Amino acid sequence: MVRMTLVLPIDPEANKLLERSPLALLLGMVLDQQVPMEKAFSSPYVLSRRLGHELDAAELAGYDPEALVALFAQPPALHRFPKAMAARVQEVCQVLVERYDGDAALLWSDVADGSELLRRVSALPGFGRQKAQIFVALLGKRFGVTPQDWRQAAGDYGDPGARRSVADVTDADSLRQVREYKQQMKAAAKAEKG
């Protein structure tokens, strides 16, 4: 399968980091809530610049929590909720150290099938079913991580023609379509409650 990459309208160096660093990609997904996806997926690059080197799960897992919050809160803040998301990033990195030798790629590199991949991702702090399915779709559609039945595990996010999530962003037009889909879903949810 041809590996397609993620192309977000962010700093080209931030896109390159997402391509070469499984940890940066995973942390972008961790941060992808209640902020625009461009902000979420560029923040790992900003964090690496603030640290002065590539991201390392063991380092982040053991980082002084208050110092990590300070890195997240430094203007421009890495997330709308820097304290909560610094803690979440640290929790995810701690799981990576405990279960995957600190290597985010081991989360998906040896899975038997899509169900196992979904189970592993769902076991991470902050990854509910929807977020886990989006990440499975992102890995499959943009990074060539395609264990058997990965599309089924990703649910609707795995559909080849979908425009539902970051997994479907390849250019400005697809980003617009994803945004429109998300707005429709929010409007439908609001109408349902209404």
Side-chain angles (χ1 to χ4, degrees), residues 7-9 163 168-177:
V7 181
L8 288 171
R163 290 289 182 261
D168 304 310
V169 175
T170 56
D171 55 25
D173 189 50
S174 58
L175 176 61
R176 179 188 52 76
Q177 292 173 16

Side-chain angles (χ1 to χ4, degrees), residues 109-130:
S109 63
D110 65 345
V111 293
D113 56 31
S115 295
E116 183 182 353
L117 177 57
L118 183 62
R119 272 194 307 278
R120 285 184 180 190
V121 175
S122 297
L124 294 172
F127 279 78
R129 183 165 183 84
Q130 181 182 33

Side-chain angles (χ1 to χ4, degrees), residues 61 90-102 123-125:
Q90 189 159 50
E91 292 165 359
V92 168
C93 287
Q94 288 165 347
V95 170
L96 291 175
V97 169
E98 291 165 12
R99 297 184 195 160
Y100 302 102
D101 296 324
L124 294 172

Side-chain angles (χ1 to χ4, degrees), residues 118 122 126-135 152-155 157:
L118 183 62
S122 297
F127 279 78
R129 183 165 183 84
Q130 181 182 33
K131 190 178 195 95
Q133 285 183 315
I134 291 170
F135 193 65
Q152 291 88 332
Y157 298 103

Side-chain angles (χ1 to χ4, degrees), residues 180-194:
E180 288 171 359
Y181 173 80
K182 287 183 174 191
Q183 288 170 348
Q184 291 168 1
M185 293 299 99
K186 283 182 184 175
K190 191 175 182 180
E192 198 173 285
K193 287 181 183 177

